[in-house]
Amino acid sequence: MRSTATTQGVRIQVESEYLPDRSNPTRNQWFFTYRVRIENIGQRTVQLVSRHWIIENGRGQIEHVRGPGVVGETPVLGPGQSFSYQSFCPLDTPIGSMRGTYQMVVPEDVGAEFEADIAPFTLACPTSLN
């Protein structure tokens, strides 16, 4: 499952995948990985300083995850540069979704900040989709 969103010159693409070898459906444990590519297609340097994920399981229960950076980093991206990383999400249902924002700052413009949207993407065990 894929998603793409662009906010103020920052394009965020996400692709998710079900990991059957890490999952245990008999214990209501489904494990997903997602790969994120953050690309600066704008004209100014930006830095990712924090994240806010909204994770929803198949029963509509929502969890908010906030924290500094991503995978222990706060990447600075000049025009034309990109940063990619991979992470994971366990769920207690075979289907769910994620969406959120990255909080970005503009280092050369003190006080300039914005939220870059992460478009919703589905987390789904292939057998749960009809």
Side-chain angles (χ1 to χ4, degrees), residues 45-50 73-77 103-107 114:
T45 297
V46 296
Q47 181 177 15
L48 187 159
V49 293
S50 63
E73 298 190 44
T74 54
V76 175
L77 302 173
Q103 289 65 48
M104 312 295 289
V105 297
V106 183
F114 63 96

Side-chain angles (χ1 to χ4, degrees), residues 95-118:
I95 191 166
S97 66
M98 290 179 67
R99 66 187 188 281
T101 56
Y102 292 131
Q103 289 65 48
M104 312 295 289
V105 297
V106 183
E108 67 256 13
D109 186 1
V110 176
E113 57 185 63
F114 63 96
E115 290 189 347
D117 291 324
I118 305 164

Side-chain angles (χ1 to χ4, degrees), residues 20-72:
D21 57 322
R22 299 277 310 269
S23 299
N24 189 341
T26 60
R27 290 193 171 149
N28 292 326
Q29 297 171 341
W30 288 268
F31 207 84
F32 303 89
T33 185
Y34 57 93
R35 289 174 292 288
V36 179
R37 177 179 166 86
I38 304 162
E39 185 178 6
N40 183 351
I41 60 173
Q43 300 300 312
R44 58 189 182 167
T45 297
V46 296
Q47 181 177 15
L48 187 159
V49 293
S50 63
R51 68 191 183 283
H52 175 207
W53 284 108
I54 302 165
I55 304 165
E56 185 171 356
N57 72 11
R59 293 186 301 279
Q61 295 174 320
I62 293 176
E63 176 184 1
H64 294 266
V65 177
R66 292 178 166 89
V70 290
V71 295

